[in-house]
Amino acid sequence: MWYFPRNESISHQRINTIGADAYFYGHPSESPVDERLKARENDFGAMVFKLRKAKASQVIENQLMPELFAHMAVRTKNLRQTFGDSAAELMKRMAAQSDTPEGQARIQRKTQSMIDDEIAKILDQRPYKSLLSRLTHTDRDRLLAQFKAHARNLDIASLFGPALRAVSRVVDFAEAASDGHIKALTKLDDGVPPRIDALKPLSWSLVVCDAGSFILGDIAVMVQAKHGDALQSPLKENETPFAIVLPISDRHLLAGSQEGPLFVVDADLINRASAELSVDFFIASRRTEREERYVSRLGVRSALFNSTEMDEIVRSAVEGF
């Protein structure tokens, strides 16, 4: 099997050495997630093993299909890494936006309002409330105005950007994403991932093509939200997709569709999407000019949010101030 990594040399490897983490979600003494998921994966493994022996395309009636796809959508390293990378990039962009005159003005207004509210709450508690009750209305208003004026002299806005950068330097976003991933899966009932119900209306099929037709990227599952849309990460789609695909070998593809079982697919389109949406690598049974072209596209759409979406998130966050 050929291993095509991002920014590293292409190499020929045994399939069982690629991504072979014994405990992807931590040792059982630290987290029960791996043991729970592996128990369920025995059923998936038996089903996929049988399907990979098929020599012709066929309709699949197996009720495990929605669960398999939902499971694979949340099981991959791709998910946790895209979350970590996106968090780091958002923090970077937030810091840059908070350094602009507009950003600082918004932050200063918001923090000033928060400080004013907090001062009012404190002065309404003992012993301050009792002390203030002894003052005339004029003296009380004058004192409150002095507190607020002093607070306005605090240049909090100019510290916001540097504070975000300081956080970015000390926080390991990849580790934070990993911890969050584990905690979320730990809360799932019996290790069953969400979104299964959204996939149940789909018709399922196994597509069998010529040997070497498909590459296998670390993205695994890909969805098409609407007819004609580009394939994308399942993290981008919460509703029932128009179609969903999962390559399981170099010639076998599992597919779900709203328009009945799929039997004819564009392997090149699926491969390009798999490479573009993968974070670290893809594997293939051969190394030709076709696979070399896919390497040049590896990871170009792996970010959870594109640049426009990132800008909108940052803009909305800053406008909240």
Side-chain angles (χ1 to χ4, degrees), residues 221-232:
V221 174
M222 296 168 283
V223 303
Q224 184 181 44
K226 298 178 181 179
H227 180 66
D229 285 356
L231 288 169
Q232 60 185 11

Side-chain angles (χ1 to χ4, degrees), residues 80-286:
R80 63 168 60 171
Q81 189 158 339
T82 52
F83 267 115
D85 291 347
S86 296
E89 180 63 19
L90 282 171
M91 189 69 75
K92 177 182 175 181
R93 295 192 182 209
M94 279 287 292
Q97 181 64 28
S98 65
D99 285 340
T100 65
E102 178 187 4
Q104 290 203 7
R106 288 182 178 277
I107 293 169
Q108 189 67 25
R109 284 196 300 271
K110 183 64 175 181
T111 54
Q112 187 59 59
S113 175
M114 294 168 63
I115 290 173
D116 288 348
D117 291 342
E118 193 61 29
I119 288 175
K121 290 179 182 178
I122 292 173
L123 295 181
D124 194 44
Q125 299 173 3
R126 293 180 179 179
Y128 307 109
K129 186 175 182 179
S130 177
L131 293 173
L132 289 174
S133 67
R134 301 175 186 177
L135 300 177
T136 65
H137 285 294
T138 301
D139 289 340
R140 187 162 57 247
D141 291 343
R142 184 182 298 115
L143 181 62
L144 184 58
Q146 289 175 353
F147 276 128
K148 291 183 177 181
H150 180 69
R152 288 190 181 91
N153 291 330
L154 299 175
D155 188 11
I156 297 175
S158 64
L159 302 176
F160 199 79
L164 290 178
R165 292 187 181 88
V167 170
S168 297
R169 287 193 293 270
V170 300
V171 173
D172 185 336
F173 289 102
E175 182 178 350
S178 175
D179 291 342
H181 194 192
I182 293 172
K183 290 178 181 177
L185 290 174
T186 301
K187 296 178 181 179
L188 298 178
D189 294 335
D190 299 323
V192 177
R195 302 182 183 176
I196 291 178
D197 288 342
L199 301 180
K200 288 181 178 178
L202 301 180
S203 298
W204 301 96
S205 60
L206 172 70
V207 182
V208 181
C209 299
D210 295 333
S213 293
F214 302 111
I215 66 171
L216 309 178
D218 62 47
I219 181 65
V221 174
M222 296 168 283
V223 303
Q224 184 181 44
K226 298 178 181 179
H227 180 66
D229 285 356
L231 288 169
Q232 60 185 11
S233 166
L235 300 178
K236 301 279 248 178
E237 183 57 44
N238 292 319
E239 306 299 327
T240 301
F242 177 77
I244 187 167
V245 297
L246 170 63
I248 58 173
S249 81
D250 67 324
R251 62 193 301 257
H252 296 87
L253 177 87
L254 294 177
S257 171
Q258 289 190 28
E259 292 193 341
L262 287 176
F263 294 115
V264 178
V265 297
D266 186 335
D268 184 60
L269 184 149
I270 292 171
N271 289 340
R272 280 188 281 115
S274 183
E276 292 173 356
L277 295 169
S278 291
V279 174
D280 286 329
F281 68 90
F282 68 82
I283 58 176
S285 62
R286 58 185 63 176

